[in-house]
Amino acid sequence: MSEAAAPAPRGRYVAAVVHGDAAHSAGMTPRRSDGVLLVTGRVGAGTDLATAVDAAGLAARNALAACADAAACAGRTLLRPVAMTVWVACTDAFTAHSAVADGASAVLADHFGQDGLPARAAVGVCSLPGGSPVEVALVVALAPDRPR
């Protein structure tokens, strides 16, 4: 599925898990597949909206890649995203969380089409791992098993 592999976990967890008919990603930040965090900072204090939108897109690509890899290992394929949470590390005055999350939604719309958008939450927080401005977690429904 993915142009690039999802970054390896940076702690004691897995990048994604398949359970039942869904793949659940860990929270993904805007890292390259080699683990390098490409953007740091808080939105509204050193990180502007456009940069945060792009970072959310990269984090969503990482979450999607992790789900696709986990699904492939289970012999399954992705059907459509059903839920996404986007955390935004920001100042108290910043309120455009949904605009940042739209960067993640755009990646999913590009991959699954406009009708493939998930339910979504965008949440402001004071900090995220490694100083990332965004983190994205994704739940993707899997296509039904094919008879073997």
Side-chain angles (χ1 to χ4, degrees), residues 59-75:
R61 280 190 291 280
N62 288 340
L64 189 56
C67 286
D69 291 346
C73 287

Side-chain angles (χ1 to χ4, degrees), residues 5-79:
R10 314 250 334 140
R12 293 185 66 183
Y13 62 94
V14 295
V17 171
V18 168
H19 181 73
D21 288 330
H24 303 256
S25 81
M28 294 287 175
T29 54
R31 293 182 188 277
R32 292 190 319 222
S33 59
D34 64 2
V36 174
L37 185 61
L38 296 179
V39 184
T40 59
R42 292 176 65 206
V43 185
T47 301
D48 64 23
L49 179 60
T51 300
V53 168
D54 289 344
L58 178 53
R61 280 190 291 280
N62 288 340
L64 189 56
C67 286
D69 291 346
C73 287
R76 306 286 296 273
T77 58
L78 303 181
L79 180 61

Side-chain angles (χ1 to χ4, degrees), residues 108-139:
L108 299 181
D110 285 348
H111 187 81
F112 293 98
Q114 202 59 31
D115 292 336
L117 289 174
R120 181 184 87 186
V123 182
V125 297
C126 66
S127 69
L128 289 167
S132 175
V134 296
E135 184 170 342
V136 174
L138 190 58
V139 179

